[in-house]
Amino acid sequence: MSNGSFARAAGLGAKLEAPKVGTDVVGRGDHVQRLREADGARLILLHAPSGFGKTVVMAQLLEEMRQHGGATAWLTLDTADNDAARLITGLQAALDRLFAASDAPNADADNDGTAMVELLDRVSGLAEPFALFLDDFETLHEDAVLTLVSRLIQTLPAHGRLVIGSRRLPDLPMARLRVSGEMVELDARALRFSRDETRAFLSATRAIDLEEADLTRLHAKTEGWPVALRLASIVLAETSDQSGFVQDFSGSDRLVSDYLAENILATQDAVVRDFLLRTSILRALEPALCEALVPGSDATALLERLASANALLNRIDGAAPVYRFHSLFAAYLRARLAREDPDALPRLHGAAMEWYLENERPVPAIDHGIAARATDHVLALVEEVGQACLEQGRIRLLTRWFDLLPKSRVAEAPRLALMKTWAYCFTRGPREAAVVLDECGLEEFGGSTGAEALSIRTMIRAMSDDFRGAAEIGRAALEQAGAASRYSRTVLANCMANAFSVLGAADAALENLDEARAELDGPDDAFNTMYSEAVQGLIDLQENRFREAKARFRLAAAARRSDDRRRFNGNAWAGVPLACVRYEENAQDEAEHLLQVFLPIVRDVSLPDHLILSHVTLSRIAFGHGQVDHAFRYLAELEQVGQRRRLDRVVAGARLERTRLYLRQGNVIAARHQIDRVGYDTLWQEIRDLRLPANDLDTREITGARVLVAEGRAQEALAILDAEIASAGPRHRKRRLLVLDFLRAGALLRSGETGRARDLIGEALRTSAREGYHRLIVDEGEAVADAVRAWAGPALAGDLPRRDPVFAEWLQEISDAIGSGHATGGAGVSVQAPLDPLTKKELQILRLLSEGYSNAAMSEKLFVSDSTVRTHLRNINSKLDTASRTQAVAAARQLGILG
């Protein structure tokens, strides 16, 4: 380094050093790759409020560039760099670190102008690719230094990049760079952690493994704000009640509030602080509304300035200027306002209510009216708009209002009490709805109130798994339906369609569905549209019209309100079946996302079929990803919910699926133990003839046959399967018949009746291909997989691809999914004992491998790295002379290494 370089570096110290990225930091690989491969970008800009991980991404990008041979330099800015001479010195010192400093000026120039020219000449003359990183850019505000950076960007050669990190949008010529494609930008939205990154962050920082529902809730509350997650993790690592902490976590928590007070609010002047506090009661900040709350303010200019400054306030997409606070920042501001000026809260909410009413927006007016304690006004408004909310499917909104309104006042108004009962029915479940119905004595009223109450009672019976009782009460309700509201008549017809479908009365079910659809009032009747399509979809599914069912569930989940272009996702009734069909099509990520959204609603309402289907599907997804512990945990949660709420069928559903899970692990003894505990005879006698969605393919008898085949008792299994086929045929249970054919083919093959097995499996495969099934076959295990291989192998090797290429392509996908197998002892699996015995650790890995664990899950369970697991797997394959995980497990079982 030249004397000039030494002089420039003196006193700069850590300003020239990129921060070290700790091992507990989640890698932002997608962002880093995008930025590194941004060809033609002169400027890479990361701007977001404090705590969004800008510096971390920049440091990771710098390290990635260095590893690929790129020249990089770092300069952390501070307020002193508003002196142009000092900034130039810092930039020259950073450039000294890029390449050999022989071309650098030997000393500082005599004046700022000369120094600037020398700096720009030096940058433009750099011949090799480089990247210069400037962090904490928000500290620069002087025109002279901003002009210097602007000229620096313009001077950069094609192979040079400037990477800037800032808490707010810098005053630089970015418009031209955006238009020309010479700028890449990451803002707060892009830098937020995804849900998966949130999980990885908590695990990496403090080995925190939250329940899925708690993880979803924490991610939603923090909105992926990394610093908020870090602050929360400090408490989570120490508390014994993690779920309770997540439930209560908000901007008023001391760690978060201290951070916000120091890094956000303290940087604003008194006028802005007052504006922020008073408008914090709003969910959406509209300039005219803000000015009603803070008279005399120029809300339009102030909101735009705050959003540009990244003060945890963002503009919402749309034509009109509307903004929102980050949820934790809003909670912090509201808590501070309540502490500093509690008397202002009802006045502010009252003013907001009046503004919304003047603008004919009753829903937010009601929210603020409740907060302003304007009970009489609110009750009148809810009675006015509540029916429309029911029809539009805004049921959770209604529930929230009724939770906040005095019970006695609601009970005095029959119309409101009916709305509350409907809302509770679909959000809190049948038991709480029945309590409201009984307390208000609504069935004792005559006329429309009594008729509607009887419709609600019908729904309560159906949701309580009492479909026979629902049908009985429903017939009486239908006789009085003419006096009830159109909404009530439509829900009743849909409910009766569902009940008749479960009872096997298909014609009556379709007749009631036709009546329900005749009552629909266009797109505004979103809830009943959803309900009708979901019921029809369930009927189609059991009749083995999978493609039609899938279309129905998509229509049901996408029902819209005329005034709202968002997807209607407020009810799990259609969402859970849609997730199940997406899983069946192997779209597992989408299925898991849908189920995580709807699972809290399902648990609240306690619909038995939806409880079973959601937990079972999540368990299968987890097992498919190698997350075996998670798979068992979902079933344990399902069993616990069933026991706590005395839902015997739900408990049995958990044990049925646990039986299948053990079978997939090859643990036949554990599977037998589970199938022997799946419920008493009376339970299965009660539901034997019912067409229940969760028990269409999984009953004690059918799952018992699966266990018998695994135990080598195929003939006993065939006797059960033949009886089930004889029962399902006359009842037109076509999807069940399809699965029974697959199971029967597997049992026949195990009995040595290869020809009969091949004939049966071939027709079943063609039927499955027409409907687009996938997991229905893949999840059945080795007996069915062997039968599929026995037919598919010769067919695909023959002329099937030429004769029927569509079927052949589908069949190849199924064959790839089930793998080459090991039941016949072939497929390239060595049966020679290894010359070099497996180590104790390799045996542990092999055991976990046989149980279905992924590499990541094994590394976590054994407290070793992923690379160590991969090394052990290579050693196992080498010793056993195998080429894959499946072959290694098969060979180990044949050699008796695994039980």
Side-chain angles (χ1 to χ4, degrees), residues 695-714:
N695 296 115
D696 187 30
L697 309 180
D698 295 293
T699 66
R700 183 176 63 175
E701 289 74 19
I702 295 173
T703 305
R706 294 178 175 115
V707 176
L708 287 170
V709 171
E711 291 174 329
R713 300 157 64 185

Side-chain angles (χ1 to χ4, degrees), residues 103 379 788:
D103 62 340
L379 289 169
V788 172

